[in-house]
């Protein structure tokens, strides 16, 4: 079974803090993704990475950056947290070798609250 | 611009009956469709998928139907069980792309 883990289930930070959200997958997947989920808005893609050190902006990258130094780990960084970044953050991974038919597998999510 | 739409935010069904969740899409180039189920405070879990070359895929109590001419897909759950109560997300992708396009979700409540 694919396992995607996220470093924290719940996180509370203050406005202006730098926040790191970590995601690790154990199935040697090439592609990794960060989404945020907000009520009434569904899942929106922030950034994704199709390979080590490679990254692409998703639909809502503003205020975020990412890092992928190792294949199994994909980090989401909030350079200066703001209250409108309070959300559920979801990491996902996908094998990536056979195009879009690869399913994305999600981690349990991190509920981030910015005060 | 939302390319995948789930127009019903919520649905309530009695246990044992059929649940039908609907999804519409605007991009005719989408060629792979998935349904995810999400419980509160958990990540989405993959439920079932369908390729654009098919019009039906079945897995136990779950069946997905695809109508390409109408750009519409639906998820049928028969019979519905209280444990099926969750938010269901429809997603679509392009063979040339990496990311999934998600709908906003439909919250299903199955009552005893």
């Amino acid at each position: 079974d694919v396992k995607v883990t996220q470093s924290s289930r719940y996180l509370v930070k203050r406005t202006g803090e730098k926040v790191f959200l970590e995601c690790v997958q154990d199935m040697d997947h090439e592609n990794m993704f960060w989404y945020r989920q907000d009520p009434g808005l569904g899942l929106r893609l922030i950034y994704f990475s199709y390979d080590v050190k490679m990254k692409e902006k998703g639909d809502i990258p503003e205020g975020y950056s990412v890092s992928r130094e190792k294949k199994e780990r994909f980090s989401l960084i909030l350079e200066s947290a703001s209250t409108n970044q309070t959300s559920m953050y979801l990491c996902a991974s996908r094998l990536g070798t056979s195009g879009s038919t690869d399913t994305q597998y999600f981690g349990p999510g991190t509920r981030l609250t910015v005060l | 611009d939302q390319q995948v739409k789930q127009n019903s935010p919520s649905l309530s069904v009695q246990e044992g009956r059929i649940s039908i969740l609907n999804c519409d899409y605007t991009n005719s180039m989408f060629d792979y469709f998935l349904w995810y189920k999400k419980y509160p405070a958990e990540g989405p879990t993959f439920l079932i998928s369908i390729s654009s070359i098919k019009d039906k895929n079945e897995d136990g109590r779950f069946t997905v139907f695809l109508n390409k001419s109408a750009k519409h897909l639906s998820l049928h759950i028969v019979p519905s069980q209280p444990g099926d109560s969750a938010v269901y997300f429809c997603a679509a992708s392009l063979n040339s792309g990496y990311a999934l396009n998600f709908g906003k979700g439909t919250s299903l409540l199955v009552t005893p």
Side-chain angles (χ1 to χ4, degrees):
Chain A
D1 274 357
V2 176
K3 191 159 185 189
V4 180
T5 57
Q6 294 182 229
S7 51
S8 304
R9 294 298 303 271
Y10 300 93
L11 210 52
V12 180
K13 295 291 181 181
R14 297 210 175 271
T15 302
E17 279 193 77
K18 191 168 186 176
V19 182
F20 293 87
L21 303 182
E22 304 284 341
C23 175
V24 177
Q25 49 93 4
D26 66 356
M27 286 302 291
D28 204 34
H29 283 180
E30 291 182 0
N31 305 158
M32 295 186 75
F33 307 82
W34 275 106
Y35 295 87
R36 63 179 280 179
Q37 185 206 354
D38 300 287
L41 296 177
L43 276 73
R44 294 180 292 165
L45 181 65
I46 305 170
Y47 266 97
F48 68 96
S49 168
Y50 50 90
D51 204 347
V52 176
K53 295 192 186 293
M54 308 303 285
K55 60 186 179 185
E56 290 284 341
K57 293 180 180 179
D59 299 319
I60 50 164
E62 297 78 20
Y64 303 95
S65 61
V66 290
S67 171
R68 190 151 180 222
E69 297 296 317
K70 294 185 178 181
K71 194 173 187 178
E72 68 271 17
R73 188 179 297 269
F74 191 35
S75 303
L76 180 70
I77 302 153
L78 287 67
E79 296 290 341
S80 177
S82 62
T83 54
N84 62 13
Q85 291 179 309
T86 292
S87 185
M88 167 73 95
Y89 289 88
L90 294 159
C91 175
S93 75
R94 187 185 83 175
L95 182 59
T97 57
S98 58
S100 65
T101 55
D102 288 328
T103 300
Q104 287 189 22
Y105 296 92
F106 284 84
T110 296
R111 169 68 65 185
L112 172 67
T113 301
V114 182
L115 301 175
Chain B
D1 192 26
Q2 195 86 16
Q3 296 189 75
V4 177
K5 298 177 184 179
Q6 294 176 257
N7 292 318
S8 298
S10 62
L11 176 67
S12 183
V13 171
Q14 264 193 321
E15 182 177 7
R17 302 282 192 126
I18 183 171
S19 295
I20 300 177
L21 295 94
N22 293 304
C23 179
D24 297 294
Y25 60 96
T26 57
N27 189 339
S28 57
M29 300 299 289
F30 286 144
D31 59 1
Y32 193 63
F33 305 89
L34 308 90
W35 284 94
Y36 283 84
K37 174 180 178 179
K38 186 181 184 301
Y39 293 116
E42 293 184 13
T45 53
F46 170 71
L47 199 55
I48 192 168
S49 62
I50 188 166
S51 164
S52 59
I53 62 173
K54 294 186 175 182
D55 54 19
K56 177 182 175 182
N57 188 25
E58 195 170 351
D59 184 2
R61 296 186 296 113
F62 302 92
T63 303
V64 56
F65 295 91
L66 176 62
N67 182 335
K68 282 189 296 183
S69 61
K71 297 194 188 71
H72 177 83
L73 66 155
S74 60
L75 174 69
H76 292 209
I77 306 173
V78 184
S80 301
Q81 299 173 354
D84 296 329
S85 298
V87 177
Y88 290 78
F89 290 99
C90 171
S93 68
L94 299 166
N95 192 43
S96 59
Y98 294 94
L100 291 174
N101 293 270
F102 282 89
K104 294 183 179 182
T106 297
S107 179
L108 172 66
L109 176 65
V110 180
T111 56

